Amino acid sequence: MKILQIPLLLGLILGFNADMVNAQSADDKAAPALTREQVKKERDEFIKTHRYDPLTENWVLRKEFEPPASMKTRAQVKAERDEFLKTHRYDSSNEAWVPLKGEPKSSLSRAQVRAEAAQFLRSHQWDDVNSAWVEKPVSRKKPRK
């Protein structure tokens, strides 16, 4: 009976310790909390200016509203992303993006690289025994009519 009481007592003591369980991190305390009224106001403003498009499963700005002047187009954002990826690489040891030295490795676009990789995978397969890529055998069968 005493054996069962010790873990129970220990669990109760640790359970009442307020420092053990903290739902908020230090970053959450620095940000000012929005009141319920502010959140409702922001939601209502968003619903006035946006509509849900079920085809793209995305919220879209209504036609009668202009996007902010500082907002970039989707094409501009993609171009900036591609330019950044050409000049930087992710270093997992530092967990940070590091600029590349010298020229970029490839001048191909992302779509061209994807198409080239798909073509390579259609014509080659990985050989586990030799640990190398091997060209796939070409079938000599005639297609059915």
Side-chain angles (χ1 to χ4, degrees):
M1 186 79 159
K2 279 191 171 187
I3 295 174
L4 292 175
Q5 290 176 351
I6 293 173
L8 180 62
L9 183 62
L10 185 62
L12 287 173
I13 291 171
L14 292 176
F16 286 115
N17 189 353
D19 294 333
M20 294 272 302
V21 178
N22 188 1
Q24 294 181 345
S25 67
D27 296 336
D28 293 341
K29 293 178 183 176
L34 295 175
T35 65
R36 190 176 193 93
E37 290 77 26
Q38 289 172 324
V39 172
K40 286 181 179 178
K41 189 176 182 180
E42 285 183 11
R43 178 206 56 203
D44 293 340
E45 278 297 314
F46 182 82
I47 291 176
K48 284 180 190 175
T49 59
H50 291 77
R51 67 174 176 78
Y52 185 74
D53 184 12
L55 295 175
T56 60
E57 297 181 353
N58 198 6
W59 287 91
V60 181
L61 189 66
R62 293 184 187 267
K63 292 179 183 175
E64 58 267 16
F65 293 96
E66 292 286 327
S70 62
M71 184 176 245
K72 297 177 183 177
T73 65
R74 192 173 193 86
Q76 288 173 326
V77 172
K78 284 185 176 182
E80 287 178 9
R81 177 203 61 197
D82 290 342
E83 186 60 35
F84 181 84
L85 291 175
K86 283 182 184 177
T87 59
H88 292 78
R89 70 173 175 80
Y90 189 76
D91 184 10
S92 57
S93 63
N94 296 338
E95 295 183 354
W97 288 93
V98 180
L100 293 173
K101 297 176 179 107
E103 291 292 317
K105 293 179 182 178
S106 174
S107 60
L108 299 176
S109 71
R110 292 176 74 83
Q112 290 171 325
V113 170
R114 260 188 247 116
E116 191 175 283
Q119 176 59 34
F120 180 81
L121 291 174
R122 280 192 290 271
S123 63
H124 290 76
Q125 64 188 15
W126 181 253
D127 182 11
D128 288 327
V129 175
N130 297 327
S131 296
W133 287 98
V134 180
E135 195 167 346
K136 288 182 181 177
V138 179
S139 77
R140 303 281 186 215
K141 293 182 181 178
K142 292 183 182 179
R144 291 184 177 179
K145 292 184 182 181

